[in-house]
Amino acid sequence: MQNTAPDTFLHTLPNGVRCLVLHQPWRQAVNLSVFVRAGSQHEARRFTGISHVVEHMAFKGTATRSCQQINLAAEALGAEVNAHTDKDHTAFHIDGMAADLPAFVALLAEIVQHSTFPEEELERERQVILHEYTEFDEDPVSMAFRLFDRACYGLHPAGQPVIGSRANLERFTRADLQAHVARLYTGPNVVVAVAGPVDAPAFARQVEAAFGAMPGGTPNTVEAPAWQGGVKLRRMAGSAQCQLVLGHGMPPLADAKHTAWVLAAALLGEGMSSPLLDEIRERRGLAYHVGCSADVGALAAQFVIDAATAPEQADELLQAVAVLLQRHAEKTDSVALARARKQLAVRALRTLEQPVRRLEAAVQDVYTFGRVRSTEEQLQALHDVTPAQVRRVFATMAMRPAAIGLAGSVTARAREQAEALFVAEGRAASTIGA
């Protein structure tokens, strides 16, 4: 057992596969996931989107079961299988009764290691994924976030969408999928994680029996992207709103300074009483939706403000955001800081009761630190952030070019304001302080 949080069990097999147990003895069900460190940031440009295609195709047949037999094997036990792809990983999930955990481990092991990617299934699923791509491509909110990522990181894989490109989706072959799995689906990149009332040593034996023959190898690593900044825009016919995503690069998960940025994001935009929502929505009516969050990853992280507003109000909204950021670089309100600190603490405690979210957070810790941080450790880090550190976060943003994605109905004035307030070199504090 490796050094980790007190309610967890972490064991590494000889081939590098790790098995992780989050003890939840009060439950009668289990949530089992297999995480693979293979996401869109691990893809060369000509293969963008392939991790997502592999995720879809993994359920379309294995060496011993058809797509229909896979679904029936889970549903006959009252369980359901699912999966998702993110920038830094792909994950396969199943949940059901604790007594059926050995069957769940065997089923996910088969899906992850022995999918055959049948040609006829690939052609059918290709159409499904292209429909998904069209939905993504025609949605102004999704497009604004896509443009924002590109403004953040340019052509680095961290700046490309998980869904990939239409051209790639139309040409991927079965051989491409097999090569992707052979390259990235290796022992040190796999964590088999379960939350529930689990006998940890027995689970470790089940994982070893199911994944012990998986090839070894080295961790899938990617060079961290350089921050770029700037404005990316797409006008979209039929959209009556301007979708805006604005943000800055922040320290990644392994850097302890990221906690101050997380607290700053909560202070600015967590809840209806936060300065962002109070000023922009409640007092000025500039948006129905506006929010602020910290997207903290192992490779890169983003401090993000997103909003939807009327095209004619976009420049006023941008001005209001700029004023708020400058105000918080100069002064930290003690009441607002205490409110944000408490909200983040409650969120961390709620996560303990949400097995899916907790599994993902724990596996991210395993990939980043080689262990799972305890809740107490994370709460202490939050408690230790000082008002001066929070002000420094906002001051840092004031000195750096932001990345901005604008989609939907976007006026020339909105783009000009975005450039002048957040991107232009040498912009003066007086420009955003009025």
Side-chain angles (χ1 to χ4, degrees), residues 169-428:
L169 297 176
E170 289 175 341
R171 70 169 177 79
F172 285 144
T173 65
R174 178 173 182 264
D176 291 332
L177 306 188
Q178 291 173 318
H180 177 83
V181 169
R183 183 171 67 88
L184 298 179
Y185 281 48
T186 59
N189 299 294
V190 172
V191 180
V192 185
V194 65
V198 176
D199 179 330
F203 177 70
R205 290 192 294 271
Q206 293 159 16
V207 172
E208 181 150 24
F211 289 88
M214 191 173 222
T218 58
N220 299 330
T221 59
V222 181
E223 184 178 352
W227 181 263
Q228 295 199 5
V231 178
K232 300 291 183 183
L233 178 153
R234 181 189 277 190
R235 294 185 175 91
M236 304 175 72
S239 176
Q241 284 196 306
C242 175
Q243 303 289 337
L244 177 149
V245 182
L246 179 154
H248 290 265
M250 59 174 276
L253 184 62
D255 189 331
K257 293 191 292 293
H258 81 269
T259 306
W261 287 75
V262 172
L263 183 55
L267 183 148
L268 183 66
E270 178 94 0
M272 294 298 294
S273 67
S274 67
L276 190 65
L277 277 83
D278 184 60
E279 178 70 19
I280 290 181
R281 175 176 162 151
E282 298 301 301
R283 296 182 185 274
R284 300 175 68 168
L286 295 175
Y288 170 69
H289 167 75
V290 60
C292 182
S293 60
D295 183 5
V296 186
L299 182 69
Q302 299 161 318
F303 182 103
V304 184
I305 297 168
D306 67 293
T309 189
E312 63 274 11
Q313 292 180 302
D315 57 331
E316 185 181 353
L317 185 149
L318 286 161
Q319 179 79 22
V321 169
V323 170
L324 284 171
L325 291 174
Q326 180 66 27
R327 187 181 300 162
H328 284 79
E330 297 167 354
K331 182 180 180 181
T332 301
D333 181 88
S334 60
V335 173
L337 185 60
R339 181 262 307 161
R341 210 186 299 267
K342 180 69 76 172
Q343 286 173 309
L344 290 175
V346 171
R347 186 193 305 169
L349 295 173
R350 282 179 180 159
T351 299
L352 297 177
E353 301 169 359
Q354 300 170 316
V356 174
R357 287 185 59 190
R358 190 163 179 233
L359 279 172
E360 185 158 354
V363 171
Q364 189 177 46
D365 273 3
V366 171
Y367 283 141
T368 304
F369 305 106
R371 64 184 183 91
V372 179
R373 295 172 299 160
S374 70
T375 302
E376 291 74 21
E377 179 182 350
Q378 296 178 63
L379 292 177
Q380 186 62 51
L382 180 62
H383 177 270
D384 291 344
V385 175
T386 67
Q389 289 173 320
V390 173
R391 286 195 299 276
R392 195 173 303 126
V393 167
F394 289 104
T396 298
M397 288 191 286
M399 294 185 294
R400 295 178 181 172
I404 302 174
L406 296 169
S409 181
V410 185
T411 65
R413 174 64 178 162
R415 174 166 192 156
E416 291 167 4
Q417 277 281 62
E419 290 273 5
L421 293 171
F422 298 100
V423 179
E425 289 291 332
R427 63 191 190 280

Side-chain angles (χ1 to χ4, degrees), residues 111 128 132 316:
I111 289 169
V128 172
E132 184 181 357
E316 185 181 353

Side-chain angles (χ1 to χ4, degrees), residues 79-249:
E80 70 177 58
V81 289
N82 207 338
H84 75 267
T85 308
D86 211 327
K87 292 181 179 181
D88 58 356
H89 69 268
T90 303
F92 304 85
H93 317 286
I94 189 167
D95 60 271
M97 300 302 293
D100 294 319
L101 181 57
F104 298 158
V105 172
L107 180 59
L108 287 192
E110 184 175 341
I111 289 169
V112 170
Q113 298 177 87
H114 303 298
S115 292
T116 55
F117 310 120
E119 293 278 9
E120 65 278 9
E121 292 285 357
L122 176 58
E123 293 313 309
R124 280 193 290 268
E125 196 64 19
R126 191 191 309 277
Q127 299 310 309
V128 172
I129 299 171
L130 286 169
H131 290 312
E132 184 181 357
Y133 179 89
T134 299
E135 182 176 332
F136 170 84
D137 200 50
E138 293 179 352
D139 174 37
V141 177
S142 298
M143 181 55 63
F145 276 95
R146 175 179 176 178
L147 294 168
F148 170 68
D149 281 343
R150 178 58 61 87
C152 290
Y153 307 124
L155 296 179
H156 186 281
Q160 63 196 16
V162 172
I163 192 73
S165 69
R166 182 179 294 277
N168 283 356
L169 297 176
E170 289 175 341
R171 70 169 177 79
F172 285 144
T173 65
R174 178 173 182 264
D176 291 332
L177 306 188
Q178 291 173 318
H180 177 83
V181 169
R183 183 171 67 88
L184 298 179
Y185 281 48
T186 59
N189 299 294
V190 172
V191 180
V192 185
V194 65
V198 176
D199 179 330
F203 177 70
R205 290 192 294 271
Q206 293 159 16
V207 172
E208 181 150 24
F211 289 88
M214 191 173 222
T218 58
N220 299 330
T221 59
V222 181
E223 184 178 352
W227 181 263
Q228 295 199 5
V231 178
K232 300 291 183 183
L233 178 153
R234 181 189 277 190
R235 294 185 175 91
M236 304 175 72
S239 176
Q241 284 196 306
C242 175
Q243 303 289 337
L244 177 149
V245 182
L246 179 154
H248 290 265

